[in-house]
């Protein structure tokens, strides 16, 4: 038996629906992956974990001065609610969060540019902003073809800096509000916080010769709102399922674990939960291979390695053996590899990125209808993963040193907010 891109692609089609953290659909996809892993002959089970969730019941924004107009908004999940009946606030556009703007935000509804990053949130909270407004999309978006994104205040922000009233709107509306010189607005937000349940799907194939050495395969199977997540990242999920099938039929020397992570899009919550729950076995982990985004027709292969330059050279040579052009580099990658590298486990990511104009991520365009994915391109990453897995598993002595370069450790610490990024 060999791997089959066709079979992988068929499974991808079956699981092409929105799978947001803690939703019934995420659970349904987990059950489907579990059944598939079991049918391949592997021992498999589901591990649940708790996720801080939020549900927004009502969100409203009306500019009241010098004109009156209501705009479409979404409330941030885990945001603070306004008092019943809402609040009336002066409006301020802080195009940067330099002191010249921060000095003016106290007690106001503050619109910022771009994503609400943790450092921005800290500044706005400390400066006393009464509400935070962000926007997404572009000023030329057609309402019928786009969504007003739903965002969340992650615990990494609310735990240290407290919760806030926060709303997201469309870029075109944000531009209109600023252009028309809004000075006052009425805001209503009613939100509820609760603990949701997400899950990782976990399978294992015991090694025949060196069972005490563990190679871990990972891919997240959740998606963001409005996205069917076929590219990000059911593509990676079906690829590691093929590897599981292959190694179930061709027993590996070393133990192989296959994890499909839930809630990656909420801050790597599945892999963080898994590494925390399995801390005692991480000493046995020799490598983590993560796949996050694949199958793009027009694209390129990238392999960020969270280990050492020696590991980069090794992976690069393996890609050359099979004639796959791949940019292998020592770098962090924002995915489930991070909690492993944080615990000292070397990690390799295999990704195939869609190029500009042929790669859609984190919105409704991550969908088969966008015509940017195909089976042949999925096979490229599948073959890379298979070759890497076969070569490391078959090695007499494990070829990748269990070491994380200091520059990667620094990047991981910055990523996990333990350290200020270098200016
Ligand atoms: Zn992803």
């Amino acid at each position: 038996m060999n791997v089959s891109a066709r079979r992988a692609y068929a499974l991808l089609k079956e699981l092409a629906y929105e799978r947001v953290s803690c939703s019934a659909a995420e659970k349904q996809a987990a059950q489907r992956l579990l059944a598939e892993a079991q049918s391949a002959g592997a021992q498999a089970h589901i591990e649940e974990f708790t996720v801080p969730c939020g549900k927004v019941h009502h969100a409203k924004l009306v500019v009241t001065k010098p004109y009156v107009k209501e705009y479409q908004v979404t409330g941030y999940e885990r945001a603070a609610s306004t008092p019943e009946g809402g609040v009336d606030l002066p409006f301020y556009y802080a195009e940067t969060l330099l002191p010249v703007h921060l000095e003016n935000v106290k007690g106001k509804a503050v619109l910022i540019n771009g994503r609400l990053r943790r450092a921005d949130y800290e500044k706005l909270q400390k400066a006393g902003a009464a509400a935070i407004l962000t926007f997404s999309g572009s000023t030329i978006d057609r309402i019928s073809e786009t969504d007003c994104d739903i965002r969340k205040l992650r615990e990494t922000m609310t735990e240290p800096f407290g919760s806030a009233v926060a709303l997201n709107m469309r870029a075109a509306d944000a531009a209109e509000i600023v252009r028309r010189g809004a000075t006052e607005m009425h805001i209503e937000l009613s939100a509820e916080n609760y603990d949701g349940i997400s899950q990782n799907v976990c399978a294992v194939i015991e090694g025949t010769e060196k069972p005490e050495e563990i190679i871990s395969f990972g891919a997240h199977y959740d998606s963001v709102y409005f996205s069917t997540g076929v590219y990000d990242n059911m593509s990676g999920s079906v690829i590691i399922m093929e590897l599981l099938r292959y190694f179930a039929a061709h027993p590996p020397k070393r133990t192989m674990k296959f994890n499909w992570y839930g809630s990656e899009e909420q801050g790597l919550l599945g892999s963080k939960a898994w590494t925390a729950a399995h801390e005692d076995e991480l000493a046995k982990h020799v490598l983590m291979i993560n796949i996050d985004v694949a199958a793009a027709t027009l694209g390129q292969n990238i392999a960020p390695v969270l280990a050492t330059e020696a590991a980069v050279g090794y992976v690069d040579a393996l890609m050359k053996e099979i004639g796959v052009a791949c940019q292998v580099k020592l770098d962090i990658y924002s995915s489930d590899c991070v909690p492993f590298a944080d615990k000292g486990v070397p990690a390799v990511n295999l990704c195939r990125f869609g190029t500009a104009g042929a790669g859609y991520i984190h919105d409704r365009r991550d969908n088969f209808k966008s015509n940017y994915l195909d089976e042949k391109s999925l096979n490229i990453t599948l073959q890379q993963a298979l070759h890497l897995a076969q070569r490391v598993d078959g090695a007499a002595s494990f070829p990748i040193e269990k070491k994380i370069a200091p520059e990667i450790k620094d990047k991981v610490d910055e990523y996990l907010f333990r350290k200020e990024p270098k200016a």
Side-chain angles (χ1 to χ4, degrees), residues 127-195:
I132 299 170
L133 310 176
T134 59
F135 59 85
S136 54
S138 78
T139 58
I140 57 167
D141 281 350
R142 289 175 198 214
I143 288 181
S144 62
E145 292 169 9
T146 54
D147 303 290
C148 187
D149 206 7
I150 298 172
R151 305 254 166 103
K152 181 174 177 181
L153 293 181
R154 291 181 179 177
E155 278 194 308
T156 49
M157 301 202 278
T158 55
E159 272 188 1
F161 312 121
S163 84
V165 173
L167 302 169
N168 188 51
M169 69 179 89
R170 291 170 175 276
D173 290 338
E176 182 178 295
I177 288 169
V178 172
R179 193 167 51 238
R180 293 185 67 179
T183 55
E184 291 200 19
M185 51 181 49
H186 177 79
I187 287 173
E188 295 173 16
L189 178 61
S190 149
E192 176 198 336
N193 293 345
Y194 66 98
D195 283 339

Side-chain angles (χ1 to χ4, degrees), residues 11-190:
L11 183 59
L12 180 60
K13 282 188 172 159
E14 210 187 299
L15 289 162
Y17 50 83
E18 186 189 281
R19 307 172 301 275
V20 176
S21 169
C22 297
S23 65
E26 192 200 39
K27 194 171 296 291
Q28 182 189 326
Q31 288 296 339
R32 182 68 188 86
L33 291 168
L34 175 71
E36 195 73 13
Q38 287 170 336
S39 79
Q43 308 163 40
H45 64 278
I46 279 181
E47 295 185 11
E48 293 184 337
F49 56 94
T50 303
V51 174
C53 290
K55 183 155 183 59
V56 174
H57 299 296
H58 171 72
K60 185 174 180 176
L61 186 154
V62 183
V63 169
T64 51
K65 275 185 190 162
Y67 68 100
V68 177
K69 183 174 175 183
E70 180 170 353
Y71 292 93
Q72 185 192 1
V73 290
T74 54
Y76 272 64
E77 293 179 347
R78 306 287 294 181
S81 297
T82 56
E84 210 159 293
V87 283
D88 294 296
L89 297 170
F91 170 72
Y92 186 73
Y93 170 44
E95 61 188 38
T96 72
L97 294 181
L98 292 171
V100 63
H101 287 298
L102 281 175
E103 283 158 17
N104 291 307
V105 306
K106 196 171 171 61
K108 296 179 183 164
V110 182
L111 174 70
I112 64 161
N113 287 339
R115 273 201 172 259
L116 180 57
R117 292 170 310 130
R118 185 175 180 268
D120 300 335
Y121 188 73
E122 177 180 4
K123 285 179 190 165
L124 289 164
Q125 288 291 83
K126 288 183 175 165
I132 299 170
L133 310 176
T134 59
F135 59 85
S136 54
S138 78
T139 58
I140 57 167
D141 281 350
R142 289 175 198 214
I143 288 181
S144 62
E145 292 169 9
T146 54
D147 303 290
C148 187
D149 206 7
I150 298 172
R151 305 254 166 103
K152 181 174 177 181
L153 293 181
R154 291 181 179 177
E155 278 194 308
T156 49
M157 301 202 278
T158 55
E159 272 188 1
F161 312 121
S163 84
V165 173
L167 302 169
N168 188 51
M169 69 179 89
R170 291 170 175 276
D173 290 338
E176 182 178 295
I177 288 169
V178 172
R179 193 167 51 238
R180 293 185 67 179
T183 55
E184 291 200 19
M185 51 181 49
H186 177 79
I187 287 173
E188 295 173 16
L189 178 61
S190 149

Side-chain angles (χ1 to χ4, degrees), residues 220 232-233 264-265 292-293 362:
H220 76 87
D232 181 19
N233 178 42
E264 187 266 0
E265 301 287 8
D292 195 354
V293 307
H362 292 171

